[in-house]
């Protein structure tokens, strides 16, 4: 697990991106995913936390220039080439991957709680069904729950990540 400390610029960038995503969703009348709020301060905060998690992973991997390239948020797109960052609000929580998520991606768990950010580790998508346990935290939305103990260390991803090869 890696503790990530934001610079002021990184924090501002994440906040601005979260605000932009929320404004875009509200203009389009989009609903929150998995029964999450779609409007208001709670929804905006979720977007800000998600963007902060993406900034943390991109900075750790040296790929910040590849962040936030989509003009309109697209559900199912990669946060970074080949990577989907999943943010949770409690440091003890498992990584959650929706059953319909793309298993060709690599999934990274980031938790943000009490102003502390941890990048816990990653798992290649093809391993998710074998390692994850199907749970239904939200009615009619089963997902894979992958224990933190099953995640690979981020140092390994940092050594092997080649974003430009994945982007082409």
């Amino acid at each position: 697990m890696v503790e990530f400390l934001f610079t002021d610029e990184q924090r501002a960038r994440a906040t601005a991106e979260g605000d932009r995503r929320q404004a875009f969703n509200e203009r389009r009348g989009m609903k929150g995913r998995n029964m999450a709020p779609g409007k208001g301060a709670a929804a905006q905060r979720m977007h800000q936390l998600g963007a902060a998690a993406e900034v943390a992973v991109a900075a750790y991997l040296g790929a910040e220039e590849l962040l936030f390239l989509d003009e309109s948020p697209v559900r199912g797109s990669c946060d970074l080439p080949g990577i989907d960052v999943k943010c949770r609000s409690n440091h003890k929580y498992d990584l959650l991957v929706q059953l319909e998520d793309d298993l060709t991606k690599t999934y990274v768990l980031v938790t943000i709680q009490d102003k502390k950010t941890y990048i816990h580790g990653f798992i290649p998508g093809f391993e998710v069904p074998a390692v994850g346990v199907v749970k239904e935290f939200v009615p009619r939305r089963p997902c894979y729950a992958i224990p933190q103990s099953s995640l690979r260390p981020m140092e390994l991803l940092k050594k092997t990540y080649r974003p430009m090869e994945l982007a082409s």
Side-chain angles (χ1 to χ4, degrees):
M1 171 174 47
V2 175
E3 182 173 3
F4 184 80
L5 301 173
F6 292 92
T7 65
D8 291 342
E9 182 180 300
Q10 289 166 332
R11 188 174 308 284
R13 186 174 185 204
T15 299
E17 176 63 12
D19 293 349
R20 185 189 74 79
R21 290 177 185 178
Q22 182 59 28
F24 179 88
N25 285 356
E26 286 193 21
R27 278 194 310 274
R28 292 254 170 125
M30 297 174 77
K31 295 181 180 181
R33 190 172 186 198
N34 297 323
M35 298 179 66
K39 295 180 181 177
Q44 184 174 16
R45 183 74 182 136
M46 291 178 78
H47 283 292
Q48 291 171 344
L49 289 174
E54 294 166 27
V55 167
V57 172
Y60 179 79
L61 295 175
E64 283 185 86
E65 72 278 4
L66 299 173
L67 273 176
F68 313 143
L69 299 179
D70 292 329
E71 189 172 313
S72 60
V74 178
R75 189 170 283 165
S77 65
C78 293
D79 299 320
L80 290 167
I83 293 179
D84 197 351
V85 178
K86 301 290 190 177
C87 185
R88 305 289 313 273
S89 61
N90 188 303
H91 296 311
K92 294 180 182 180
Y93 285 169
D94 294 336
L95 169 65
L96 301 183
V97 177
Q98 299 298 322
L99 298 183
E100 70 272 8
D101 280 351
D102 181 354
L103 297 183
T104 65
K105 296 178 185 179
T106 294
Y107 291 91
V108 176
L109 173 62
V110 176
T111 60
I112 301 176
Q113 179 185 11
D114 298 328
K115 298 186 180 183
K116 288 199 179 284
T117 301
Y118 295 114
I119 308 171
H120 291 269
F122 75 98
I123 187 168
F126 68 86
E127 292 182 5
V128 166
V131 175
V133 176
V134 176
K135 294 187 177 184
E136 194 171 305
F137 298 102
V138 175
R140 297 177 303 284
R141 290 287 292 155
C143 63
Y144 295 107
I146 297 95
Q148 290 182 19
S149 61
S150 295
L151 301 177
R152 295 180 184 180
M154 286 302 294
E155 293 80 15
L156 179 59
L157 185 59
K158 189 173 190 172
K159 288 179 187 176
T160 60
Y161 185 57
R162 305 286 179 265
M164 298 320 288
E165 293 172 19
L166 294 167
S168 56

